[in-house]
Amino acid sequence: SPMNPLVHPFFHADSNTWSYLVHAPGDTVAAVIDPVLDFDPKSARTSTASAQAIVDHVAAQGLQVQWLLETHAHADHLSAAHWLKQTHWPEARIAIGEGIRTVQKTFRPIFNLGEHFPIDGSQFDQLFADDETFAIGAMPARVIAVPGHTSDSNAYLIGDALFTGDSLFMPDGGTARCDFPGGSAAVLYRSIQRLYALPDATRVFVCHDYGPGGRPFACETTIGEQKRANIHVRDGVDEADFVRLRDARDATLAMPTLILPAVQTNIRAGALPDAEDNGVRYLKLPIDTI
């Protein structure tokens, strides 16, 4: 049924990121969520091996990718959406929440990108408003804005499958940090309550997993299980409790290894900067700024 999409996960070990290929049974129209471009911070070399694995699977299944959906402008990995569209799926639409404009406005001065750098989200093919609906073939999909981790964070409800981005991790992993620019633990708490209003049987697919306690990496749970067991925000945890816990935890966390390369790439929908006159592309590292 279009209400029970097939979900194929892909794990990116370097950044502990889950990407997903989603389509209705018997339908060839598909979406890819949060694809990763490999990036080695030591050499600044990119690789498309992880994204190519998705391409190969799509080809083997005879699918057509119509959507490249970003849950937000990630801080821990570079998006492969631009490469996938340029190289393989020119008809696909790269989409993100309209909050990306706020993120672009925040980071344009940090990276001194200049007035010519658009902060209207026009690098993307589609900016989704909260509660907007769209379709993946015959399959209904809905956008649920879940700001808190970042101001542009979206969850995607596709049939009975919810893709939470960085709002919720697996129950034993809790929730994502809220200390990046535009983040707020109180706002994240309210966003999660919206997700918890969905039916308990809703399948939940997370964007990251770090295998707490050494358990095998996992990507799928349910809304009911999150409400029962999420270590940060289960039933009975109120907003003040959550904000206290989240703020204390965030104060102990180092910046993600790739935050500077990732954010300046991802606010461009995964497009790397134009080459300079020697044919080489350069990313910027603002010194003593973040």
Side-chain angles (χ1 to χ4, degrees), residues 107 110-111 181 255 259-260 286-290:
F107 281 98
I110 290 172
F111 291 110
M255 282 287 115
I259 185 169
L260 294 169
I287 309 297
D288 296 330
T289 301
I290 295 288

Side-chain angles (χ1 to χ4, degrees), residues 97-226:
E98 60 187 8
I100 188 64
R101 296 173 178 141
T102 307
V103 178
Q104 291 172 332
K105 188 175 180 183
T106 299
F107 281 98
R108 181 168 74 175
I110 290 172
F111 291 110
N112 198 30
L113 297 175
E115 291 302 309
H116 66 280
F117 181 86
I119 52 171
D120 60 359
S122 56
Q123 298 90 336
F124 296 81
D125 300 308
Q126 178 102 21
L127 299 186
F128 284 128
D130 183 25
D131 237 12
E132 190 166 337
T133 56
F134 63 107
I136 302 163
M139 193 162 48
R142 178 160 71 93
V143 178
I144 304 172
V146 286
H149 169 63
T150 60
S151 46
D152 65 331
S153 291
N154 266 347
Y156 294 103
L157 182 63
I158 302 171
D160 73 335
L162 178 72
F163 299 86
T164 59
D166 286 7
S167 50
L168 286 168
F169 295 154
M170 294 295 290
D172 60 348
T175 55
R177 65 195 298 165
C178 296
D179 60 336
F180 295 155
S184 161
V187 170
L188 179 60
Y189 182 87
R190 289 168 217 154
S191 292
I192 290 170
Q193 299 312 308
R194 288 188 68 191
L195 301 181
Y196 281 4
L198 294 168
D200 280 0
T202 304
R203 292 183 288 161
V204 169
F205 295 91
V206 299
C207 186
H208 292 288
D209 187 58
Y210 301 95
R215 68 148 167 77
F217 296 120
C219 66
E220 182 179 354
T221 179
T222 64
I223 286 292
E225 187 61 15
Q226 291 282 24

Side-chain angles (χ1 to χ4, degrees), residues 266-278:
N266 295 339
I267 60 175
R268 295 179 169 96
L272 294 164
D274 291 337
E276 297 192 10
D277 56 13
N278 60 354

Side-chain angles (χ1 to χ4, degrees), residues 233-248:
V233 67
R234 64 193 167 277
D235 284 341
V237 175
D238 68 17
E239 186 177 310
D241 290 336
F242 176 73
V243 169
R244 236 185 339 267
L245 178 151
R246 188 68 262 168
D247 287 349

